[in-house]
Amino acid sequence: METAPTPEGLSTDILAIANLPVLWILAIGVFGAIIVQSLIYMKAARKAGPAADISAEELRTSFRAGAIAAIGPSLAVVLVSIALLTLFGTPAVLVRIGLVGSAATESASASLAAGTMGATLGGADYTQAVFVVAFMAMSLSGAGWMLATLVLTPVLRRGDTKLRRVNPALMAIVPAAALIGAFASLGIAELGKTPVHILSVIVSAVTMGVCILLANRTSATWLREWGLGISIIVGLFAAYIAHTSGMAPTA
Amino acid sequence: MSAADTAVTPSASLAEFDRTTSRWGQLTMGAALLFSLAAPLYLVLSTDLGITGGMIWTAYLAVAAAFFVLWFVEPITYYPVLGPAAMYQAFMIGNIANKLLPSALVAQAAIGAKAGTKRGEFAALMAICGAAMVHVVSMLLFVGILGTWLVSIIPTDIVDVARLYIFPAIIGGVLVQLIVTMKQPRVTVIAVVVAVVVLFVLVPAVPALAKPATGVVVLITAVLAWFLRSRKATATPTTLVN
């Protein structure tokens, strides 16, 4: 049933299609939607402020406090996004990391999708066709969260407590198991690849462990936000040393 | 007379606020949803890469098997904290646990508003607007405009290595972060054991399971975690990916 990708589909020049102008326009559209939403919300909040017993000054303070608190995490996200640029191109990174997804979920989705085509992200078999399928799967996955939000929010708002009465033990265990199971599977699958892959996983994991330990021991809570960015950089650094010193299989 | 006025007007204006935010929240989120799906769809339709519907479905099912529980659980989990209006913001921007919720809490503390009150809800909403603006500006400036340049000044052999090993470098850190924040040692052990067995025993024996391997791991882990759960302690629900 499945037809093989065309010769064009076998090209590994991802950025040739990942940077098409239409994609840039759609990416900007996404950010436009976020901006328009915030502007409408702020206007609505200012109008209804007195009824909610909150002054215009307090609304401004809240906005400023939220913005300042978001600087650290936002720059941490930027760092991870830049690391993903060569894999997905700028518009796809903007759309995927700019919407719902985090670096973790999006690259997990992309890795799973590439796996179904027998390819690995960034590898020699990471062709244009694999990129497009991975991008489609990432977007559909992100759409899952958005559709669930669109459907569930009005239901929850109407005070339908049925959803909230779900067994608390079930709510605690099954999602945690699904999440840890998914990422454990993806992480351990990397251990079945080249020695450099194994090294990258381990170095990144250890770095994150150290970051969390330091964040808990000292008052350096910023390490919690930057942990992933630092782990990726250190993991890649280790991969670079190992790769250039000949630990990688000769292609 | 005036007492009746002040009693009616605030609730009317709050009702209007609810109407405005839910209508526009849905509209803007719907627009973002369409834009985000249009981008890969455009590539599928406009390029001649030989991509079939079957390929997309297979990929989608593999991703859905890993994440579909979270699509529903996360909105339900965050609703009581965020309230209806902020739901549309939070699930558009993402990074809720590590960015938006801390922002909302800081803002509530700054003006001394309690969570769960209208003041608290409005403070959280404004804080998320502030966080959203920082998010948009930082992404557009550092990733959109400067990103390609930043990548271009990095030597190509480093970029090649980054491309090749970015995923293992992400997943190692993510896994540790997840295990530490979840604090579910029993589930973690089950997940790791299941993953090792599925990937290194089951898949080599039954190669057909290679594609849905992660889905299989998720399913078995969830079922085992449920039946092997500790009956004593009542864990608090915690989920965070986005």
Side-chain angles (χ1 to χ4, degrees):
Chain A
M1 259 305 275
E2 273 184 26
T3 53
T6 59
E8 290 89 344
L10 292 174
S11 160
T12 52
D13 188 5
I14 306 300
L15 299 184
I17 57 166
N19 278 315
L20 292 175
V22 174
L23 300 188
W24 276 97
I25 293 167
L26 291 168
I28 290 167
V30 164
F31 281 87
I34 296 176
I35 294 170
V36 167
Q37 185 185 60
S38 290
L39 292 178
I40 291 170
Y41 274 32
M42 286 191 282
K43 198 172 155 223
R46 209 177 315 131
K47 218 168 144 192
D53 191 25
I54 188 165
S55 70
E57 180 56 35
E58 286 173 322
L59 288 174
R60 266 196 301 277
T61 306
S62 301
F63 179 89
R64 198 178 334 117
I68 293 169
I71 291 175
S74 289
L75 291 180
V77 171
V78 162
L79 178 65
V80 179
S81 302
I82 290 172
L84 288 170
L85 279 181
T86 50
L87 219 44
F88 303 122
T90 313
V93 168
L94 285 178
V95 169
R96 290 318 329 148
I97 311 292
L99 271 186
V100 170
S102 57
T105 37
E106 297 304 330
S107 47
S109 294
S111 173
L112 285 167
T116 65
M117 297 186 70
T120 51
L121 290 182
D125 45 12
Y126 182 59
T127 61
Q128 288 188 350
V130 176
F131 160 70
V132 172
V133 170
F135 186 18
M136 191 79 229
M138 284 155 104
S139 300
L140 286 168
S141 171
W145 270 280
M146 296 174 86
L147 281 173
T149 303
L150 283 170
V151 172
L152 290 175
T153 305
V155 176
L156 291 164
R157 210 161 78 99
R158 271 196 297 274
D160 189 338
T161 46
K162 239 187 254 166
L163 278 170
R164 289 210 237 175
R165 262 190 283 131
V166 204
N167 183 341
L170 193 74
M171 283 288 279
I173 290 172
V174 171
L179 201 56
I180 298 175
F183 285 102
S185 171
L186 289 164
I188 289 167
E190 293 298 310
L191 300 179
K193 294 177 181 166
T194 70
V196 186
H197 282 86
I198 299 173
L199 184 79
S200 314
V201 174
I202 293 172
V203 169
S204 165
V206 170
T207 310
M208 178 59 96
V210 171
C211 286
I212 293 174
L213 202 71
L214 285 177
N216 288 346
R217 288 279 169 81
T218 68
S219 54
T221 43
W222 59 272
L223 264 175
R224 232 179 276 277
E225 290 151 17
W226 285 86
L228 187 60
I230 295 170
S231 305
I232 292 171
I233 301 281
V234 177
L236 284 177
F237 181 72
Y240 181 77
I241 303 282
H243 188 85
T244 48
S245 64
M247 255 176 88
T250 41
Chain B
M1 177 72 188
S2 67
D5 267 357
T6 47
V8 168
T9 324
S11 73
S13 101
L14 285 178
E16 198 204 324
F17 170 81
D18 281 343
R19 263 198 311 278
T20 310
T21 50
S22 62
R23 178 162 18 98
W24 283 99
Q26 286 168 353
L27 278 173
T28 44
M29 185 179 240
L33 181 59
L34 292 180
F35 283 131
S36 74
L37 288 175
L41 207 58
Y42 171 79
L43 284 178
V44 171
L45 299 176
S46 75
T47 55
D48 180 27
L49 304 178
I51 292 165
T52 61
M55 289 178 193
I56 292 171
W57 277 111
T58 313
Y60 177 63
L61 287 178
V63 172
F67 292 123
F68 91 94
V69 177
L70 299 168
W71 294 339
F72 301 98
V73 167
E74 287 204 325
I76 298 173
T77 310
Y78 284 127
Y79 181 85
V81 195
L82 292 169
M87 282 287 278
Y88 298 114
Q89 296 178 293
F91 283 93
M92 243 166 87
I93 301 161
N95 294 291
I96 299 169
N98 62 5
K99 178 149 82 180
L100 302 188
L101 285 182
S103 287
L105 295 177
V106 167
Q108 288 174 342
I111 68 158
K114 283 200 191 73
T117 62
K118 271 286 155 198
R119 264 168 68 79
E121 189 188 323
F122 273 53
L125 184 114
M126 290 302 286
I128 293 177
C129 286
M133 290 305 112
V134 170
H135 172 78
V136 166
V137 170
S138 65
M139 287 297 284
L140 286 180
L141 184 64
F142 295 116
V143 181
I145 297 172
L146 298 176
T148 319
W149 172 75
L150 284 171
V151 170
S152 75
I153 56 168
I154 302 169
T156 47
D157 57 338
I158 294 180
V159 171
D160 287 344
V161 168
R163 195 175 120 138
L164 213 50
Y165 301 108
I166 181 76
F167 187 67
I170 290 177
I171 199 75
V174 166
L175 191 53
V176 170
Q177 189 176 45
L178 198 62
I179 289 169
V180 173
T181 44
M182 285 292 193
K183 294 191 185 69
Q184 298 261 18
R186 192 184 292 239
V187 174
T188 305
V189 172
I190 295 171
V192 170
V193 171
V194 170
V196 169
V197 171
V198 168
L199 293 169
F200 296 122
V201 180
L202 202 60
V203 169
V206 191
L209 285 176
K211 284 182 184 180
T214 295
V216 172
V217 172
V218 168
L219 196 71
I220 299 177
T221 305
V223 172
L224 284 180
W226 176 248
F227 284 108
L228 300 176
R229 73 183 185 275
S230 164
R231 314 276 161 157
K232 286 175 291 180
T234 46
T236 45
T238 41
T239 1
L240 38 133
V241 248
N242 278 308

